[in-house]
Amino acid sequence: MYVTPIVLSVLCTAACIWGASAAPKNVTATLVFKVSNKTQSKSPSSTQGANGTAQPTVYVSEDLEEPVPKDRRLRLSEEKPADKKAKVVKKKVKIVKTVKVVTKVKEEKTSPGAGGTEEEHCPPLGLESLRVSDHQLRASSIKRYGLGSHRGRLNIQSGIYDDDFYDGAWCAGEKNQNQWLEVDARRLTRFTGVITQGKNSIWTDDWVTSYKVQVSNDTHTWKTCKNGTEEVIFKANKDPDTPVLNKLPTPIVGRYIRINPQTWFENGTICLRAEILGCPLPDPNTVFMWEQEPQPTDKLEFKHHNYKEMRKLMKKVNEDCPNITRVYSIGKSYLGLKMYVMEISDNPGQHELGEPEFRYVAGMHGNEVLGRELMLNLMEYMCQEYKKENPRIVRLIKETRIHLLPSMNPDGYEMAYKLGSELSGWGIGRWNYQGLDLNHNFADLNTPLWDAEDNEQVPEHFPNHYIPIPEYYTMVAPETRAIIDWMQKIPFVLSANLHGGELVVSYPFDMARSYWMAKELTPTADDAMFRWLATVYASSHRIMSDDNRRICHYDNFMRVGNIINGANWHTVAGSMNDFSYLHTNCFEVTVELSCDKFPHEVELPIEWENNKESLLLYIEQVHRGIKGVVRDKDTNQGVPEAVIVVDGLNHDIRTAVDGDYWRLLNPGEYEVTAKAEGYHPSTKYCHVSYEDRPTICDFYISKTPKQRLKELLANGKKLPKELLLRIRQLRNRKLKSRSPK
């Protein structure tokens, strides 16, 4: 999810920042300008030869065995400081000759039977991921319905008003130590920990500073968590946003658990959001043990992969399927981590005439991690299914060149990964290391286009596509620059960037045309096509397509089919979707994959099942519309940078370096014109059917006499006598017309 940059008043700021993804309110604009000199270089190259229309620099295949750079300021998550400390201790132990004692302590800590190691790794019950339903939550009292127990979920986000049905926490109706929030685990559970936050609000500050934990089997008799003989009072939050984990001194078994606030912020009231950690125990007497989510049959690696583990998995897939895969890097993050791409094609490493290029981009916001894992799962799945000769996958790979970028913001991911699934909160790792939101970091091409349209300069004096990057666009993150270079080198046709924190698919434009509006319906010329693309993903997603599902935070996207125009949700200037559409041929949408930005590892198999069909079906849409080759009628060679104009659609595209093109269109009859500098235009009617195959629409165009003359003169050839006589006649006629009568 991304955050709105419009700031006109307190209310507008609230709508923009919290109405979208509710980034922490204490993050100020100073982060945005924290840019080193090395990123303030000249703007990316102009559009000449962009989008694969000039011979691109080939991305070299990567050797994933090379060492990870060690001179970065951000320590990788697998390079744990504890290891370093352990080495120091080992040296000291060697000096004082107490090696055996230390070894024994280590064994006790790591032994599965000592200290309850299993309990320490219990997963969350699922308040944040919504596996725990509203019916499983109760409270002693509520301030009002919008602050009921159903809102006491970790990382839940509020609407912009403090008095609606979708506020940002459970808040008690009374201020005393008898208040509680209760969770019904619906089965016997070994509870091991509690995570809390305060209220998500831009207007008030409310959080709990300490609490007790109570457990029961029947809701009548309650056992308070103790440390020995004393009841434990856990220290809670110091601010409303940072999650605080308290592990129970000894795991407690029960079905129900209560959080009983003891103290709270002195200027506020009792409000909290929570998650409970616990391992379910076998209980043959409860029907709930029989209720299981459908588990995937695909043998994939369902875990969170840090940078080294991601490289390892990509290397394994490449080794398992060397004939259809290739790993390459498009650039480096601010701290030097490479941005790896997995290419899947029957001819890896080369663009094939007439074969469309597709891309998925994940991890733009480093703490929205599900897309990263889905991309890694998709690599594994396509490799395995290709070897099994699955006809659908074989056809996709043979007819499409697929590029998967699992981590656009690897620095941000490492920060979130260190804290983990529940403790990274809503904002940590969102930005890159410089504090830049990468989804606000692309050049704003909307404003120049709309200014030109207002002055009636489009398309005669200002293009409606391939809009050049302004010279003043200089504050570019290295990750953004790498993506722009990638877009300019490969003629992508279709793309989706994967986010998290909601369940919806948004489509361009992401920026509202009225710059003072926090949200405004702002469609593109291809609005019908974009709505179709968004619907394809949303309607095939297991959870989005369920009309009985609970909304994630405060927006009910089910009323609009789980798709929305980006600017009509929250305006974003400089988004990747808008840039991709206006600067290249590529159509791109944003997919918000799940309510939980950072799902726990145990939920990854279910999330794969939720998204698998959508991921494949969306790739197949790259073959919808028309495609063809624009050739020189005399030489039969492809004409690069020829413009393809569809009558009635004020957005053109261009041919790639070999003269081939792809134009996404819904079924219908279209008048299509191919034109290029120095050539006569050619027009024909192309019919797009409902089949999942593109309509072939080739063009042969002839050079103009003026162009032929230029080429002859450039090559130093003599002009034919007939042509010389014709030129003299035209020159004499021109002189006579200018002479006074």
Side-chain angles (χ1 to χ4, degrees):
M1 294 177 70
Y2 38 77
V3 182
T4 307
I6 303 298
V7 180
L8 293 176
S9 65
V10 174
L11 182 59
C12 187
T13 305
C16 299
I17 298 177
W18 291 102
S21 63
K25 62 184 176 183
N26 57 346
V27 177
T28 64
T30 54
L31 285 175
V32 177
F33 298 102
K34 185 181 175 184
V35 184
S36 69
N37 291 332
K38 71 178 181 179
T39 61
Q40 293 179 337
S41 55
K42 293 182 179 179
S43 60
S45 57
S46 66
T47 55
Q48 182 67 30
N51 204 55
T53 57
Q55 288 293 345
T57 303
V58 178
Y59 287 107
V60 180
S61 299
E62 284 292 320
D63 178 12
L64 295 179
E65 292 289 356
E66 64 183 78
V68 178
K70 297 290 184 182
D71 58 345
R72 300 190 308 277
R73 281 169 283 176
L74 176 66
R75 185 185 297 274
L76 285 180
S77 50
E78 60 270 18
E79 300 167 12
K80 297 188 181 297
D83 296 340
K84 187 175 180 182
K85 192 177 289 186
K87 290 181 181 179
V88 175
V89 172
K90 190 174 180 181
K91 290 181 181 178
K92 290 182 179 179
V93 167
K94 190 173 182 179
I95 295 172
V96 298
K97 300 182 180 180
T98 56
V99 177
K100 291 183 179 179
V101 176
V102 174
T103 305
K104 186 176 181 181
V105 171
K106 283 187 175 181
E107 288 175 356
E108 288 176 356
K109 286 184 178 180
T110 57
S111 173
T117 302
E118 181 184 350
E119 289 81 6
E120 292 177 0
H121 292 88
C122 283
L125 296 188
L127 276 76
E128 182 179 8
S129 65
L130 305 183
R131 283 189 294 118
V132 172
S133 69
D134 290 348
H135 302 295
Q136 293 173 252
L137 302 174
R138 287 200 314 150
S140 54
S141 64
I142 62 173
K143 198 169 182 179
R144 51 185 161 75
Y145 178 77
L147 294 168
S149 58
H150 64 293
R151 302 299 292 176
R153 300 173 179 274
L154 194 72
N155 284 321
I156 202 161
Q157 303 297 296
S158 67
I160 62 173
Y161 305 109
D162 264 4
D163 57 354
D164 60 16
F165 285 171
Y166 305 108
D167 222 322
W170 160 68
C171 291
E174 302 174 19
K175 294 173 68 172
N176 58 55
Q177 295 181 342
N178 297 321
Q179 305 307 306
W180 45 261
L181 175 68
E182 178 184 299
V183 182
D184 176 8
R186 301 203 300 182
R187 66 194 73 181
L188 285 179
T189 303
R190 183 188 294 112
F191 297 112
T192 61
V194 175
I195 303 170
T196 58
Q197 287 172 311
K199 180 185 176 185
N200 173 243
S201 173
I202 58 173
W203 307 107
T204 60
D205 290 321
D206 300 294
W207 63 83
V208 171
T209 56
S210 69
Y211 59 87
K212 293 181 181 179
V213 173
Q214 300 170 328
V215 175
S216 174
N217 287 330
D218 55 11
T219 71
H220 296 294
T221 304
W222 291 89
K223 178 181 178 182
T224 302
C225 180
K226 293 183 179 181
N227 190 1
T229 59
E230 294 184 3
E231 293 184 350
V232 181
I233 297 180
F234 297 96
K235 292 183 179 179
N237 301 84
K238 296 181 180 180
D239 63 69
D241 297 311
T242 306
V244 174
L245 166 65
N246 279 300
K247 294 183 179 179
L248 306 187
T250 303
I252 305 178
V253 175
R255 171 173 169 173
Y256 304 90
I257 185 170
R258 282 180 177 177
I259 302 173
N260 174 212
Q262 297 298 295
T263 59
W264 44 91
F265 180 53
E266 59 183 358
N267 295 325
T269 187
I270 300 175
C271 294
L272 62 81
R273 294 173 285 169
E275 181 63 87
I276 307 296
L277 304 183
C279 296
L281 299 178
D283 184 357
N285 298 318
T286 174
V287 69
F288 296 118
M289 287 300 295
W290 307 338
E291 295 180 1
Q292 297 291 336
E293 290 276 0
Q295 295 295 317
T297 57
D298 305 317
K299 295 181 180 179
L300 309 177
E301 196 172 281
F302 295 114
K303 57 175 285 188
H304 288 296
H305 297 78
N306 57 26
Y307 183 71
K308 284 188 175 180
E309 291 167 338
M310 180 185 73
R311 284 162 46 111
K312 183 179 178 181
L313 187 142
M314 295 178 76
K315 180 176 183 293
K316 181 180 181 300
V317 172
N318 181 236
E319 291 173 346
D320 290 345
C321 295
N323 296 330
I324 62 166
T325 64
R326 183 175 75 102
V327 180
Y328 64 93
S329 169
I330 62 171
K332 293 182 179 180
S333 69
Y334 183 81
L335 295 178
L337 299 182
K338 289 188 175 182
M339 300 165 65
Y340 290 112
V341 176
M342 172 69 76
E343 177 191 339
I344 305 177
S345 168
D346 58 339
N347 287 293
Q350 63 183 37
H351 170 72
E352 297 180 70
L353 186 72
E355 185 170 297
E357 307 266 359
F358 177 92
R359 71 170 183 258
Y360 272 130
V361 177
M364 170 181 280
H365 295 147
N367 64 331
E368 297 169 12
V369 306
L370 180 56
R372 175 191 185 105
E373 299 310 324
L374 290 177
M375 290 300 94
L376 298 178
N377 292 154
L378 186 60
M379 297 172 196
E380 293 180 282
Y381 176 79
M382 296 193 79
C383 172
Q384 293 172 10
E385 295 301 304
Y386 184 83
K387 293 199 292 187
K388 293 177 184 177
E389 299 183 351
N390 180 328
R392 182 185 190 184
I393 302 304
V394 170
R395 177 186 167 187
L396 258 182
I397 292 174
K398 287 187 175 181
E399 297 181 358
T400 319
R401 191 179 178 207
I402 302 167
H403 306 257
L404 308 178
L405 173 62
S407 187
M408 179 179 167
N409 181 7
D411 296 347
Y413 175 84
E414 292 296 320
M415 286 187 268
Y417 181 87
K418 277 185 177 182
L419 293 173
S421 174
E422 278 64 55
L423 298 183
S424 61
W426 194 253
I428 299 299
R430 173 191 178 88
W431 303 273
N432 79 336
Y433 189 80
Q434 300 163 276
L436 297 173
D437 187 331
L438 299 182
N439 203 38
H440 296 247
N441 195 235
F442 289 83
D444 169 18
L445 305 182
N446 305 59
T447 301
L449 172 66
W450 294 334
D451 287 345
E453 286 181 348
D454 291 341
N455 294 319
E456 299 181 350
Q457 295 178 333
V458 178
E460 289 77 13
H461 305 291
F462 192 91
N464 62 11
H465 69 298
Y466 271 50
I467 298 173
I469 297 174
E471 293 183 1
Y472 55 79
Y473 172 61
T474 57
M475 189 174 288
V476 194
E479 298 89 349
T480 308
R481 185 181 299 279
I483 293 290
I484 292 175
D485 290 343
W486 191 34
M487 290 178 175
Q488 292 176 341
K489 289 175 182 176
I490 297 177
F492 291 112
V493 180
L494 181 61
S495 173
N497 66 86
L498 309 180
H499 288 245
E502 258 298 350
L503 279 169
V504 69
V505 182
S506 70
Y507 54 89
F509 286 120
D510 288 334
M511 180 179 174
R513 186 155 187 161
S514 303
Y515 65 88
W516 62 86
M517 297 288 289
K519 57 171 64 178
E520 178 188 42
L521 180 64
T522 311
T524 65
D526 288 283
D527 187 61
M529 188 71 230
F530 274 117
R531 290 177 62 84
W532 168 260
L533 294 172
T535 300
V536 164
Y537 199 102
S539 61
S540 55
H541 188 280
R542 253 184 85 246
I543 305 302
M544 285 192 215
S545 58
D546 182 3
D547 292 335
N548 296 317
R549 71 174 176 89
R550 185 195 189 280
I551 65 171
C552 291
H553 300 284
Y554 56 88
D555 279 318
N556 185 2
F557 294 111
M558 288 177 280
R559 295 179 300 180
V560 290
N562 298 294
I563 68 170
I564 193 167
N565 173 251
N568 203 30
W569 181 17
H570 49 263
T571 184
V572 173
S575 77
M576 187 160 72
N577 284 357
D578 289 3
F579 181 87
S580 180
Y581 180 67
L582 295 176
H583 186 65
T584 75
N585 289 341
C586 188
F587 287 40
E588 183 166 327
V589 302
T590 292
V591 182
E592 301 285 349
L593 296 163
S594 68
C595 299
D596 189 350
K597 284 188 176 186
F598 200 145
H600 192 273
E601 211 161 76
V602 298
E603 294 167 4
L604 294 179
I606 302 303
E607 292 295 353
W608 167 249
E609 284 300 303
N610 291 343
N611 287 276
K612 178 173 76 171
E613 178 60 24
S614 301
L615 290 168
L616 296 174
L617 198 58
Y618 187 79
I619 297 175
E620 292 170 340
Q621 303 313 301
V622 76
H623 297 284
R624 179 173 293 275
I626 62 174
K627 75 170 187 178
V629 183
V630 179
R631 290 186 170 91
D632 185 304
K633 193 172 183 179
D634 297 327
T635 65
N636 207 38
Q637 297 295 314
V639 180
E641 295 197 69
V643 178
I644 305 298
V645 181
V646 178
D647 186 49
L649 293 178
N650 188 26
H651 182 79
D652 305 334
I653 64 164
R654 298 193 186 190
T655 58
V657 64
D658 297 321
D660 48 349
Y661 76 91
W662 307 261
R663 181 56 163 99
L664 296 178
L665 293 168
N666 282 324
E669 190 83 16
Y670 297 92
E671 181 184 316
V672 185
T673 301
K675 57 184 182 180
E677 187 177 353
Y679 288 86
H680 292 294
S682 175
T683 301
K684 63 169 58 176
Y685 286 90
C686 304
H687 176 76
V688 178
S689 69
Y690 287 89
E691 301 296 327
D692 59 347
R693 295 276 183 177
T695 298
I696 307 300
C697 210
D698 293 328
F699 290 90
Y700 289 87
I701 53 179
S702 302
K703 292 187 177 113
T704 62
K706 187 176 181 180
Q707 180 66 20
R708 295 176 187 276
L709 178 59
K710 282 183 178 179
E711 291 179 0
L712 288 171
L713 293 173
N715 294 329
K717 294 182 178 179
K718 293 183 178 180
L719 301 182
K721 290 183 179 180
E722 297 82 1
L723 184 57
L724 286 172
L725 290 173
R726 180 62 178 162
I727 291 172
R728 287 173 186 168
Q729 289 174 356
L730 291 172
R731 189 179 297 164
N732 291 335
R733 189 181 302 170
K734 191 173 184 180
L735 290 172
K736 287 180 181 179
S737 64
R738 290 181 179 178
S739 60
K741 294 183 179 179

